[in-house]
Amino acid sequence: MPAPKTFGQQLGRRSWAEPWKIKMVEPLFMTDRPTRERTRREAGYNTFLLRSRDVYIDLLTDSGTNAMSDRQWAGMMTGDEAYAGSENFYHLEEAVQRHYGFMHLVPTHQGRGAEHLISRTVIRPGQYVPGNMYFTTTRLHQEMAGGIFEDVIVDIAHDPQDRGDFKGNIDLAKLDALIARVGASQIAYISLAATVNMAGGQPVSMANARAVRAWCDAHNVRLFLDATRAVENAFFIQEREPGYADKRVADILHEFCSYMDGAWMSAKKDSLVNIGGWVAVNEWALFEELRNLVVVFEGLHTYGGLAGRDMEAMAIGIAESVQDEYIRSRIGQVRYLGMLLEEWGIPMVEPVGGHAIFLDARRFYPHLTQDRFPAQTLAAELYLDSGIRAMERGIVSAGRDPKTGDHHRPKLELTRLAIPRRVYTQAHMDVVAESVKAVFDRRAEVRGLEMVYEPTYLRFFQARFEPR
Ligand code: P70
């Protein structure tokens, strides 16, 4: 047997490790294959309908699944559970002002609460909302407020094999074409997400943010950021964009946000907490509207549906999330898994993005048409093989066109392996990689699924399937 080598040695460099150690552990349980055959059938072949106790390694989402630090847990104990004016609200406000740079903050229970508020206050029915690829809840709230989503992301975002550095960028020619067609007054705002979840966690460059800002100024259109994974986006700018290698991620994030009129946030991702969100803007009049609406749907404007302790954990999590060594190791772990899979020829979105590996189910199962739900099928197969839980991000997630009632047919038919922050180790990544490989090796035997129950809203959460 040749001498074993660490991963770093295999790559001809020194290995690195996470900048934290583990203080508390939570046992995992492995089920056997006959049990998983049953549990996946009972869950209608939909990983959202599995019980977590039947899951081994849970890569359903990086949302709310983060491990908090000892400081965050200590912060939880300082929760000021006053109905109004909680001290923790002011800590959160200060953290958002310092790191994201927005003046006025409205907390919400999570991201979609914030999407609801901003969509309702800024969209007039019939207006367009151009965005760099849709996100499920974002688009639904825009549509429920009467808006019409228009995809203005660069074309390469739809090509899993294009290795562009900034596949999340907005294509300004698409914005020009839209404005020529409908006029500036018919554009509610530009909806910019960084990174872009549905494109594979792909980043937006600083140059693009700056150019979109200039476009917005020229046409008097507002620009709002989905800041859910903007810290991860800042890491890619530091790594890839000329002039940013020597800047701190914290400073890059601040500059990026300075081009925005405001932002909404699902803090359950970047901010290293299990629940929480916010919307923040610079305009006072808009803030007043948001602050007024939050009391109808979420709670008073100093808690927005959260406990004081949740806001404290978020305030501390924000400061931890912008530390360079933390973010490098977070994205490094995603890349480690990506490197193994790439080496073995597994089809996926490249380059690997910030929060997840996105397997390319079209190339994984070339014999299945999109009507056989290849990405849904792949998630069900992975679960059967090892109890690993992934998420469909293809035709099921895309839903139906509200006008025609037909399926949206996204070019990207992906199965996402999202990596929770500070939760799993490199050994878990090895187990995941080997399971993906085992499923890939058996790909020819797979026949696809049929949808037998379809809910009205965000159907992917509760839809049920049967094997073909
Ligand atoms: C995920 C989660 C949430 C999310 C997001 C972006 C870029 C807003 C939100 C909403 C959870 C999820 C949501 C819908 C379908 C599947 C999974 N993404 N913007 O796993 O925030 O969940 O806090 O309401 O990624 O990607 P929230």
Side-chain angles (χ1 to χ4, degrees), residues 128 134 139-140 143 147-151 181 394-410 454-459:
Y128 288 80
Y134 84 101
R139 186 181 64 194
L140 181 62
E143 286 172 354
I148 304 159
F149 173 79
E150 175 95 6
D151 191 3
R181 202 171 87 226
I395 187 168
V396 185
S397 295
R400 291 181 185 272
D401 186 305
K403 270 213 206 94
T404 66
D406 292 339
H407 290 297
H408 284 296
R409 290 178 179 278
E454 180 179 351
T456 315
Y457 302 111
L458 303 173
R459 62 182 182 178

Side-chain angles (χ1 to χ4, degrees), residues 18 200-201 281 378 423:
E18 289 78 4
V281 296
L378 178 47
V423 170

